[in-house]
């Protein structure tokens, strides 16, 4: 009977050790999962920061290009206006003479 009690006691201790090992494994898995989730969140935040930085740089470049295009447009409009002002009278007389002469 004593041996039987010892076997039962050893079985209970083995079951307790197995249960403790399972709990420890669950805890390690949870910690690993938390670490992985934290790592993913950190990587995601780093990528978002990179995207924001690139977006800012692209917006700056686009703004500079737009400003340059506006200046070029203004320059060309002034150039055309100057050409028109210089030639207005001559063109007007040419048009009138073409209409009246032929």
């Amino acid at each position: 009977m004593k041996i039987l009690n010892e076997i039962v006691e050893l079985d209970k201790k083995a079951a307790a050790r197995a249960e403790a090992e399972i709990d420890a494994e669950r805890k390690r898995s949870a910690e690993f999962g938390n670490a992985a989730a934290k790592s993913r969140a950190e990587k995601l935040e780093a990528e978002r920061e990179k995207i924001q930085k690139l977006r800012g740089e692209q917006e700056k470049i686009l703004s500079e290009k737009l400003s340059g295009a506006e200046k070029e447009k203004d320059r060309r409009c002034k150039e055309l206006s100057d050409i028109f002002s210089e030639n207005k009278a001559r063109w007007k007389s040419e048009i009138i003479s073409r209409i009246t002469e032929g």
Side-chain angles (χ1 to χ4, degrees):
M1 195 60 140
K2 185 177 178 181
I3 294 177
L4 189 58
N5 286 336
E6 287 178 16
I7 292 173
V8 170
E9 190 62 33
L10 288 174
D11 187 52
K12 286 180 182 178
K13 287 180 183 178
R17 282 194 307 272
E19 194 63 37
E21 191 61 35
I22 290 170
D23 288 343
E25 180 61 31
R26 285 183 186 147
K27 184 178 177 183
R28 283 192 296 273
S29 292
E31 289 172 356
F32 178 76
N34 291 340
K38 183 178 178 184
S39 176
R40 279 193 302 274
E42 289 171 353
K43 288 178 183 177
L44 183 61
E45 184 60 30
E47 288 301 314
R48 284 183 178 147
E49 289 174 5
K50 284 181 189 177
I51 290 170
Q52 275 302 108
K53 182 180 176 185
L54 287 173
R55 182 177 288 152
E57 291 170 359
Q58 289 175 343
E59 287 175 355
K60 181 181 175 186
I61 291 168
L62 183 60
S63 177
E64 290 170 357
K65 285 183 178 182
L66 183 60
S67 177
E70 285 290 323
K71 288 177 183 176
E72 179 65 15
K73 179 191 73 128
D74 291 344
R75 185 189 67 77
R76 288 184 179 195
C77 284
K78 184 181 179 328
E79 185 180 315
L80 288 173
S81 181
D82 291 345
I83 291 170
F84 181 76
S85 294
E86 289 174 16
N87 296 295
K88 180 180 177 182
R90 185 174 53 87
W91 290 343
K92 185 177 177 182
S93 66
E94 284 179 10
I95 291 170
I96 291 173
S97 72
R98 286 182 185 171
I99 291 173
T100 57
E101 293 174 5

